[in-house]
Amino acid sequence: MNIEKIVTEASTFITTMYNELQYSQQQLEDRLAAVSASISSVGSYLHTEEELQYGARVAWRNNSRCIGRLFWKSLMIADCRHLSNADQIFDALLSHIERGTNDGRVQPLITIFPQRSTELTIKILNHQLIRYAGYQIGDQIVGDPDSIAFTTLCRELGWRGEGTAYDVLPLVIQINNERPCYRSIPLEYIKEVNIEHPNFTWFHELQLQWYAIPIVSDMELEIGGIRYTAAPFNGWYMGTEIATRNFGDVHRYNMLPVIAKNMGLNISSNLTMWKDRALVELNEAVIYSYKKNKVSIVDHHTASEQFRLFCEQEQQEQREVNARWSWLIPPMSPTTTVIWHTRYNEIDVNPNYYRKQQCPFHK
Ligand code: ARG
């Protein structure tokens, strides 16, 4: 990003924030002057703690694909901008897992590492801090097919998994262009839920399990022209993410056929709607099991209601909601939610979370 661009982005961000939080005109002017002085002399600037907190929260509020945004103000921030050595970073990631998991009462949390600069770029190579490995063995796949490429990388770095369907992958970070380094996550940090069904006693024999907390670690946070290339964040799960997609998708754990067979459905005929019936039971099982184990989870009906509330709140604040319909409709009975029947606009707004290298400002 060139100097003028950073100044523009920074001023827009500071002005919006200071107005929204009703800081005085004097405070705003002083801060704008300090920021542009810093950018002219060193090409960049540092956010205050308030700016960092507000920026991370508003980036969540602005993210068009997230249905859970009603809770944007509750995001906790772990400011780790002072850390730049691998061991300290690994420790901070473990502490994120612990604080976010919070014994099952999941707390939305983001850990923010140093901003990108000419001297330093920190990257977390995991898609999520906790995720299961996938192994391609001949034409068989064990574990999560979505993790095959990353698992191969981990093995090249020297990591060895046990080869089960649920091996938790190690944390992998890369500092500048150095060789990535990894560290395994001690078991006591990883909360998992065994999946059972409230009525089908055979269900637990499928030995399905999932981890408690999704901590997305491959997105970059951008606030006022500053890029945080390592900023893992978590909320709690919505049931369909695990049940419909992770277990149900054909190219993931592909569990619908075996569930339908166990239910006694004829899976050779589409007319039995075996996929649909199996999906419902699988979704019920996931929610039931998380609740039973006192791990936070939200069903897609409640989440859709909460999203509607979020939109109402934003409207009251006279802000436009940035939303992508195709990501917001839940992948199960979507027409029963209000989201299906609503039109949304997708716009470019910053602060935001971006898939690596995909920020429109950096084209
Ligand atoms: N869909 C992803 C998964 O199934 C998680 C993405 C983030 N989800 C969340 N509820 N914050 O693992």
Side-chain angles (χ1 to χ4, degrees), residues 35 232 301 334:
V35 165
H301 299 292

Side-chain angles (χ1 to χ4, degrees), residues 45-244:
Y45 69 105
L46 296 176
H47 289 127
T48 65
E49 292 228 359
E50 287 77 23
E51 288 162 3
L52 192 70
Q53 180 185 76
Y54 170 89
R57 289 179 176 171
V58 171
W60 183 7
R61 187 178 86 195
N62 281 341
N63 195 275
S64 62
R65 307 174 186 194
C66 178
I67 193 176
R69 289 181 273 165
L70 179 64
F71 303 97
W72 66 275
K73 283 183 188 158
S74 71
L75 181 66
M76 301 298 293
I77 282 77
D79 182 357
C80 288
R81 290 179 293 169
H82 53 292
L83 302 184
S84 58
N85 104 353
D87 276 329
Q88 295 171 327
I89 294 171
F90 283 129
D91 288 343
L93 294 177
L94 292 182
S95 123
H96 183 130
I97 293 173
E98 187 169 27
R99 271 184 75 191
T101 306
N102 191 23
D103 249 340
R105 292 198 40 200
V106 176
Q107 163 66 52
L109 173 67
I110 182 167
T111 298
I112 304 179
F113 294 104
Q115 67 200 55
R116 183 175 64 194
S117 70
T118 43
E119 297 85 49
L120 180 65
T121 303
I122 297 172
K123 286 195 172 154
I124 300 169
L125 303 188
N126 307 66
H127 161 58
Q128 293 176 30
L129 295 189
I130 298 175
R131 221 174 182 224
Y132 299 125
Y135 310 92
Q136 175 100 47
I137 307 161
D139 55 4
Q140 287 269 87
I141 292 176
V142 174
D144 192 338
D146 212 40
S147 296
I148 289 176
F150 182 67
T151 305
T152 305
L153 170 75
C154 294
R155 288 165 62 94
E156 281 165 11
L157 294 173
W159 176 81
R160 288 287 170 270
E162 283 177 42
T164 76
Y166 301 103
D167 289 354
V168 173
L169 289 158
L171 301 167
V172 185
I173 63 174
Q174 184 175 29
I175 299 175
N176 296 329
N177 286 323
E178 291 166 20
R179 182 183 160 86
C181 47
Y182 73 92
R183 197 202 271 186
S184 296
I185 307 173
L187 276 180
E188 62 268 26
Y189 282 89
I190 304 163
K191 195 168 181 73
E192 291 176 293
V193 175
N194 294 321
I195 308 300
E196 54 180 313
H197 189 281
N199 314 121
F200 299 157
T201 47
W202 48 265
F203 206 96
H204 74 272
E205 287 160 23
L206 299 173
Q207 301 198 350
L208 293 181
Q209 64 184 67
W210 205 255
Y211 48 87
I213 162 179
I215 313 170
V216 174
S217 49
D218 61 354
M219 293 183 89
E220 300 187 350
L221 166 60
E222 184 161 315
I223 304 174
I226 300 297
R227 268 268 161 160
Y228 296 97
T229 51
F233 57 83
N234 74 274
W236 47 79
Y237 260 119
M238 178 163 83
T240 53
E241 299 184 87
I242 304 167
T244 305

Side-chain angles (χ1 to χ4, degrees), residues 315-336:
Q315 202 170 15
Q316 270 165 23
E317 299 293 336
Q318 287 161 9
R319 290 190 293 252
E320 187 178 357
V321 172
N322 181 29
R324 188 187 295 187
W325 185 87
S326 64
W327 267 69
L328 293 168
I329 50 165
M332 162 116 162
S333 315
T335 58
T336 64

